[in-house]
């Protein structure tokens, strides 16, 4: 079981959602890259799941309840005080990030995991508005990173360093992740993989297949079938 809940209104500038997951019998759960960092409590740990660049398998004992806070892309470092690229493809205990304070807060949250959201405060520093503009353009499906930077007074090399520290990887990787997320959202509304590739912004079906294998560890036919089965949707018609 997996369920998302809205973020409290005061935190919506930095938090995308809260979530609850209860592990089921029958193996792990595939977590695919989504450009986000999560703060998670459960299974005896309070930890940060860094931004992934490929699929991550979550292995939990059946019945384990995980409470999560999912940050909006680019905003977790303002709360956690750690550059996102230092957490890339890692799961790091809060005590290792915040020391004794993190250990103390983690123990408190494990006694009441639903209170995890209380660890998140409104950052004092202002948001990076240029970063938000670029992220929004990448999410909407610009064909290239250069198009997302159009009209902004940014030094490209310096901005890429800012982007990596905020998001966890460069804008080109984020563009691939955002394109895959669009494909996942569209998968139940198109008849085949060729149409899915075109609608999601891929150059062609081969492009979709290559990115899907690298980001999910699975072929598109197998991966999107699993997505649709989980959502109770009809299957795509394609042998690819």
């Amino acid at each position: 079981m997996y369920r998302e809940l809205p973020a409290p209104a005061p935190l919506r500038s930095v938090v995308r959602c809260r979530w609850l997951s209860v592990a089921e019998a029958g193996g792990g759960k595939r977590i695919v890259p989504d450009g986000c960092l999560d703060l998670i409590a459960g299974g005896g740990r309070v930890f940060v799941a860094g931004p992934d660049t490929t699929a991550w398998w979550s292995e939990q004992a059946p019945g384990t309840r995980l409470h999560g806070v999912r940050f909006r892309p680019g905003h977790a470092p303002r709360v956690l005080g750690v550059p996102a690229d230092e957490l890339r493809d890692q799961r790091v205990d809060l005590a290792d990030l915040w020391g004794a304070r993190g250990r103390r807060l983690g123990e408190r949250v494990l006694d009441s995991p639903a209170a995890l959201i209380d660890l998140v405060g409104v950052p004092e520093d202002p948001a990076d508005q240029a970063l938000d503009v670029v992220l929004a353009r990448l999410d909407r499906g610009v064909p290239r990173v250069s198009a997302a930077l159009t009209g902004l007074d940014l030094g490209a090399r310096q901005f890429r360093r800012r982007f990596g520290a905020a998001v966890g990887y460069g804008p080109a990787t984020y563009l691939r992740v955002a394109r895959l997320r669009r494909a996942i959202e569209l998968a139940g509304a198109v008849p085949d993989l060729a149409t899915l590739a075109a609608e999601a912004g891929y150059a062609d079906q081969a492009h979709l297949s290559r990115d899907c294998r690298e980001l999910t560890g699975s072929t598109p036919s197998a991966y999107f079938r699993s997505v649709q089965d989980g959502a109770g949707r009809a299957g795509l018609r394609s042998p690819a």
Side-chain angles (χ1 to χ4, degrees), residues 52-235:
D52 294 324
T53 57
T54 189
W56 182 283
W57 281 94
S58 176
E59 300 278 358
Q60 302 290 338
T64 300
R65 297 171 69 89
L66 298 180
H67 294 258
V69 173
R70 180 160 300 141
F71 294 97
R72 293 179 56 208
H75 291 268
R78 301 172 58 219
V79 175
L80 300 174
V82 180
D85 50 6
E86 293 185 11
L87 302 171
R88 183 173 54 231
D89 294 323
Q90 297 187 64
R91 304 300 186 258
V92 181
D93 285 351
L94 190 64
D96 291 332
L97 293 182
W98 290 358
R101 174 171 168 262
R103 190 175 305 108
R104 185 172 62 254
L105 291 173
E107 290 171 354
R108 188 183 305 168
V109 166
L110 287 177
D111 288 336
S112 180
L116 181 70
I117 191 70
D118 295 338
L119 298 187
V120 180
V122 178
E124 295 181 357
D125 59 317
D128 186 333
Q129 294 185 358
L131 177 74
D132 281 347
V133 169
V134 172
L135 284 167
R137 290 175 176 176
L138 294 171
D139 284 335
R140 283 199 300 270
V142 292
R144 295 176 298 280
V145 171
S146 58
L149 303 178
T150 300
L152 298 173
D153 185 17
L154 299 169
R157 183 176 299 179
Q158 183 186 32
F159 181 72
R160 280 175 167 76
R161 285 198 292 269
R162 269 165 57 191
F163 193 101
V167 177
Y169 34 66
T173 299
Y174 186 87
L175 179 60
R176 297 177 68 213
V177 169
R179 196 181 283 131
L180 177 67
R181 299 304 302 175
R182 273 199 308 283
I184 292 170
E185 291 298 319
L186 291 166
V190 297
D192 52 53
L193 287 173
T195 305
L196 179 63
E199 293 289 328
Y202 291 92
D204 51 30
Q205 186 174 333
H207 185 195
L208 166 64
S209 297
R210 186 169 59 252
D211 271 15
C212 185
R213 286 190 177 92
E214 293 179 5
L215 293 173
T216 73
S218 181
T219 63
S221 56
Y223 177 70
F224 288 108
R225 184 168 56 247
S226 70
V227 170
Q228 292 171 323
D229 289 347
R233 297 167 174 169

